[in-house]
Amino acid sequence: MTSPGAPDDRWLSRTVVRGVAWTALVKWTGQIASWGAVVVLARVLTKADYGLVGMASLYLGLIRILTEGGLGTSIVALRQLSREEIAQFNSVALLLGLAGAALTLAAAEPAGWFFRAPNLPPVMALLSVTALISSLRLVPGAVLQRDLRFRALALIDGVQGIATTAGTVAFALLGWGYWSLVVGGLLGSALGVLVNLAFAPQPFAWPRASSIGRYYSFTRDVLVGRIAWYTYTNADFLVAGRMLGAAALGVYTFAWSIASVPVEKVTGLVQRVSSAVFARLATDRAGMSRMLLRLTEGLLVITLPASLGMAAVADDFVRLYLGPGWDEVVLPLRILCGYASFRAVVTLLPQALTMLGDTRFLMFNAVGRAIALPIAFVIGSRWGPSGIALGWVMLYPPFIFQVYLRLFRRLGLTLGEYLAPLLPTLRGSAVMLVAVLALRAALGETGPGLRLALSVATGGLVYFLAGILPQRERLLKLRELLRRADPAPAPAVDPA
């Protein structure tokens, strides 16, 4: 049963669907443009160009984590925050952004020495502006997310994505080389901030420890966890760049980017929506369990067959999409697709635990990963980009298993209850993979274009017959529930 004062389950389901729909419309429009851009950029820019900007991105991502300080998550999760307290958080964000820009300027020369890349310092000096830009967007974006204004958030992302893609391609065609990646990204970020401030302008107030100091422990746990997350999710790029060089880093970056498309583009549609919805369900464990199962099922239906299918056709895809000279991407791409198929279904677990206030456990779990995974990447680098990719497959699942156990205990879920709605998709994806591999074996030395087209068509048909049709009745019932959901606003819930 729903807890007293909890938001209406059908209303939240409808909100999730609308939020995902808006995000999908904008993000996939931008993604189509991005795919076209990659075809152009892969023929204009070099592996070293991507590797150089990838080196700068490693440091800048860490600075962004530090300057955000867990503030965005706190605003979404701590619904009892007053407008005055949010204004104080906004000032803290600005101060952290200024500090991040200064640190980036100071670190530019040492980073160039570390990566043995003399062109890196000026790139980092210009990109230091992103720390300040991100700080201006942090609190307004979190307020939009907390208030479930997903259409506005989607439009902001759309403006930023299209501006980045268009700017990068234009500058690359003008012969700017790696600077096209730098300036294109800055252009998109700046426009994104302007649109964000137009939707949700936020005042500033001088931060006072007596007012917002009580939220320190929550924010600290989130921040340390995010630093640990950033450490292990970028250690593979760091190891590739430092131990294998810019060209190998470019290979690994492309493999990671392609393997992550079904995960990041689909889960990205859900994560922004799910965190705010989980926050509203913090006092309703049964409601959170239902929402977790629905969202996990929806993610798996799309991401698992896409990841396994990409692994099966990776060789033909790379030759046709990236062109000659990129065959080294194939093997790490296949390994990372296998990892991505698992990663897609676990992205919601930390969100749910965070909104339940279990940030200390998540922090220590993330720190453990931050220690173990880099060691695996260093060892794996002996076998090139593919060895680094194997580090994810070997060490990531044991840590996530602990997160599963913790969340199941907090929500009262059993393994059987969790797997029941996922089994049709698991079976259908396995049958699809076998069918595609058998077809490719039968086709032999057929041209890559024809083989890729036949593989995609066969995989789609088999998955529909083996994975979608067996669960059509449940999917239709879910659609009917969402269609009839009352669109009227639900009452606000204070999880405190």
Side-chain angles (χ1 to χ4, degrees):
M1 295 180 63
T2 301
S3 301
D8 181 78
D9 183 70
R10 292 187 302 171
W11 178 84
L12 277 180
S13 297
R14 183 63 171 265
T15 300
V16 169
V17 171
R18 287 181 171 180
V20 170
W22 271 107
T23 307
L25 175 64
V26 174
K27 283 200 175 232
W28 281 103
T29 300
Q31 185 60 53
I32 292 172
S34 178
W35 281 333
V38 169
V39 174
V40 176
L41 294 174
R43 287 158 173 79
V44 176
L45 302 180
T46 67
K47 300 173 187 176
D49 290 334
Y50 279 97
L52 182 66
V53 177
M55 292 172 185
S57 298
L58 286 174
Y59 174 82
L60 290 167
L62 176 59
I63 286 295
R64 182 174 181 180
I65 296 293
L66 292 172
T67 54
E68 288 181 355
L71 300 180
T73 301
S74 297
I75 290 172
V76 174
L78 304 172
R79 297 186 54 80
Q80 68 270 31
L81 287 171
S82 66
R83 291 181 60 85
E84 171 66 19
E85 290 170 333
I86 291 176
Q88 293 179 52
F89 273 121
N90 202 23
S91 298
V92 172
L94 179 59
L95 293 172
L96 290 174
L98 291 170
L103 285 173
T104 302
L105 287 172
E109 287 295 336
W113 169 83
F114 178 81
F115 283 109
R116 307 187 194 101
N119 293 330
L120 184 58
V123 169
M124 287 186 58
L126 182 56
L127 286 175
S128 65
V129 180
T130 59
L132 181 59
I133 291 175
S134 298
S135 71
L136 293 173
R137 179 176 176 173
L138 175 61
V139 172
V143 170
L144 288 174
Q145 186 179 2
R146 185 194 65 171
D147 295 340
L148 308 182
R149 296 178 61 185
F150 301 121
R151 179 172 64 177
L153 288 168
L155 292 175
I156 293 166
D157 286 344
V159 170
Q160 179 168 334
I162 292 173
T164 298
T165 299
T168 301
V169 171
F171 297 134
L173 293 176
L174 289 173
W176 286 27
Y178 58 81
W179 285 111
S180 61
L181 298 169
V182 175
V183 179
L186 283 175
L187 175 63
S189 297
L191 288 177
V193 167
L194 292 176
V195 179
N196 202 328
L197 293 176
F199 274 112
Q202 297 296 318
F204 293 90
W206 187 253
R208 300 189 307 276
S210 60
S211 176
I212 60 176
R214 54 188 170 138
Y215 307 120
Y216 168 75
S217 61
F218 183 94
T219 305
R220 178 206 58 207
D221 292 347
V222 172
L223 173 60
V224 174
R226 285 179 62 82
I227 292 173
W229 168 84
Y230 184 80
T231 299
Y232 71 77
T233 55
N234 288 281
D236 49 350
F237 296 97
L238 179 65
V239 169
R242 174 65 176 171
M243 304 190 71
L244 302 178
L249 175 58
V251 168
Y252 185 82
T253 300
F254 255 119
W256 177 275
S257 299
I258 296 171
S260 298
V261 166
V263 176
E264 294 182 355
K265 297 307 176 183
V266 176
T267 59
L269 303 178
V270 175
Q271 283 183 311
R272 176 180 286 164
V273 177
S274 59
S275 60
V277 172
F278 286 154
R280 295 208 174 198
L281 290 169
T283 57
D284 181 11
R285 301 298 194 267
M288 184 178 285
S289 297
R290 289 192 298 271
M291 189 62 67
L292 175 68
L293 293 177
R294 290 173 187 170
L295 292 176
T296 302
E297 181 181 6
L299 286 174
L300 197 70
V301 163
I302 300 173
T303 59
L304 182 59
S307 295
L308 295 180
M310 177 59 74
V313 303
D315 52 348
D316 292 337
F317 181 85
V318 168
R319 294 186 187 113
L320 291 171
Y321 187 55
L322 298 182
W326 290 91
D327 286 347
E328 296 170 275
V329 173
V330 174
L331 182 55
L333 172 58
R334 282 182 163 146
I335 297 171
L336 290 171
C337 281
Y339 160 68
S341 63
F342 171 75
R343 180 163 64 105
V345 301
V346 302
T347 55
L348 299 174
L349 308 181
Q351 283 191 334
L353 280 175
T354 296
M355 299 311 158
L356 290 171
D358 210 345
T359 54
R360 183 63 57 87
F361 165 80
L362 289 172
M363 179 185 71
F364 283 117
N365 186 272
V367 169
R369 281 177 262 175
I371 295 172
L373 282 166
I375 295 174
F377 299 147
V378 171
I379 296 173
S381 66
R382 298 176 58 187
W383 294 274
S386 299
I388 295 175
L390 277 172
W392 285 109
V393 177
M394 300 297 294
L395 286 186
Y396 187 75
F399 285 97
I400 293 301
F401 179 69
Q402 299 174 35
V403 179
Y404 266 114
L405 291 178
R406 184 80 167 197
L407 184 60
F408 283 179
R409 284 197 295 265
R410 292 296 303 271
L411 296 180
L413 269 177
T414 65
L415 179 62
E417 291 171 336
Y418 181 81
L419 289 178
L422 308 182
L423 287 177
T425 299
L426 294 173
R427 286 194 297 262
S429 298
V431 172
M432 177 210 72
L433 180 60
V434 171
V436 171
L437 292 177
L439 172 68
R440 292 173 63 80
L443 291 174
E445 298 300 320
T446 304
L450 178 60
R451 188 167 55 221
L452 178 62
L454 291 175
S455 298
V456 172
T458 300
L461 177 61
V462 171
Y463 178 66
F464 177 77
L465 295 175
I468 299 298
L469 284 183
Q471 54 182 332
R472 64 187 183 279
E473 292 185 4
R474 185 172 70 255
L475 296 176
L476 288 174
K477 289 180 180 178
L478 178 60
R479 186 186 69 174
E480 185 67 14
L481 168 66
L482 299 176
R483 187 179 70 83
R484 292 183 178 182
D486 182 7
V493 178
D494 181 3

